[in-house]
Amino acid sequence: MANAQISLPLPVLPEGWSAPNDFKAIGALSTPNQRNLEPVGPHFLAHARRKRHKRTFSEDERIQAQENVKKVEDEDADDISEPEDPLMLGREAKDWKAQDHYAVLGLSKHRYRATDSQIKRAHRKKVLRHHPDKRAATGSSEDDSFFKCIQKAFEVLTDPVKRRQFDSVDEHANVDPPSKKAAAKSPSAFYKLWGPVFESEARFSKTQPVPKLGNDKSSKEEVEDFYNFWFNFDSWRSFEYQDEDVPDDTENRDQKRHVERKNNNARKKKKSEDIARLRQLVDDCLAGDERIKKFKKEARAGKDKKRLEREAEERRVAEQAKKAKEEKEKLLKEKEEVEKAEKAEGKKAKEAAKNAAKKNKRVLKGSVKDVNYLLPDGQEAGAKRVDEVLGDVEAVTAKLDNEELAVLAGKLTGLQLAEEVGAVWKEEVQRLEADGKLKTGEMKALGS
């Protein structure tokens, strides 16, 4: 294709433009000062180190890289250090999905329990050891396949979603269930071998914390809670990590939908198989659990004991039935006689109480009558005064029970002065007002 060249003239300056002639300086350079500069900083230190050891730039960088690697290895040699498998080092980078990401970073013994800090430290350690530049500096092969595997493992394990998908299918973290023979060797062998199995499966539970298997001293409630939990286990486990790659070609949408349906069906099948596997695992553990046998034996013994107790109780009841019937008839007859006697006594008591109440009421009325209806001697009590005093007496009497009538009558008996009788009645009225039985000021003659 031919290239076309176009010549464009520079724009014409506006009329009256005179910048070069009108330029004016608004400041001046300061007076120069002589200062002593002291060489410091990492670059000067690197320069001094090269001069001292007579190294070139490349030699110094290689030696420093080796020292950094050794320093990192010494720092992380505690919990993230494990030997590297030669077969793993030769893995192709394109086959990253089939690799064990934890093993690539040296975290095989931690796996799903590895923290973010451990993953970052392990990645840093692996990068310093297998970086292509580092390998080239040491004269090793420049093949960066394993370095790409390291980067891919770090990418998966630092992404919460991708790591959860990988943990879902990480078979290396599973603990195989023991055989019946191995679990039955000793009472403690069952719990020692089956405990780690359920601890491993517990990582898939949506509900946390997960009940423990326990030991031979676990209560019946704890054992029942354990098996009920696992028989109704709610797992978050999914199998997206094992999906077939969906083509990104948007032109072939039918193929894309076909692969997606195929992946969904495969996930459902694997989920069903995993549920069946876990159910069989729980059944096997339940079948070998001596605690269940002990609880069943205790339940049968309890039932037999209850049956014998029930039969003995029935015999005892049958033997006592006849005696109870005779005793009942005897007691019924005696009761009738007692009730008859009590009824007669009650009638007499009621009559006596009634007569006593009448007598006490007469005493109360007589107490005010004998003292001229609470008026001074020589002053005649008119009909109005008599009605007021007797009305108050009846009102107070109506608020008193038989015992209170007797007490009040006892206080008034023997009193002959109007002041004494009035004081007793006033005290009684105040007591009834305090108890809320009379309204304040309701008594016209006795309350004053």
Side-chain angles (χ1 to χ4, degrees), residues 276-295:
R277 177 194 64 82
L278 183 61
R279 181 57 184 262
Q280 184 61 48
L281 186 145
V282 178
D283 288 338
D284 292 342
C285 181
L286 179 66
D289 196 337
E290 293 295 331
R291 297 173 299 181
I292 301 298
K293 300 176 184 178
K294 181 183 70 172
F295 296 147

Side-chain angles (χ1 to χ4, degrees), residues 177-222:
S179 63
K180 293 181 180 180
K181 184 177 180 181
K185 280 186 177 181
S186 66
S188 61
F190 176 86
Y191 310 105
K192 184 178 180 180
L193 296 176
W194 274 106
V197 175
F198 286 100
E199 290 178 5
S200 173
E201 296 292 339
R203 69 187 191 274
F204 299 124
S205 176
K206 291 182 180 180
T207 304
Q208 296 290 342
V210 177
K212 300 292 185 181
L213 177 62
N215 50 41
D216 56 349
K217 293 182 176 56
S218 299
S219 65
K220 182 179 180 181
E221 291 75 15
E222 292 173 338

Side-chain angles (χ1 to χ4, degrees), residues 314-331:
E314 290 175 355
R315 288 194 299 269
R316 186 184 64 81
V317 171
E319 291 174 356
Q320 291 182 353
K322 186 177 180 180
K323 294 180 180 180
K325 185 177 180 181
E326 296 175 354
E327 187 71 19
K328 184 177 180 181
E329 293 175 354
K330 180 181 178 180
L331 293 175

Side-chain angles (χ1 to χ4, degrees), residues 351-362:
E351 289 295 332
K354 186 176 180 181
N355 294 333
K358 289 181 179 179
K359 182 180 178 181
N360 290 329
K361 288 181 181 179
R362 288 195 297 269

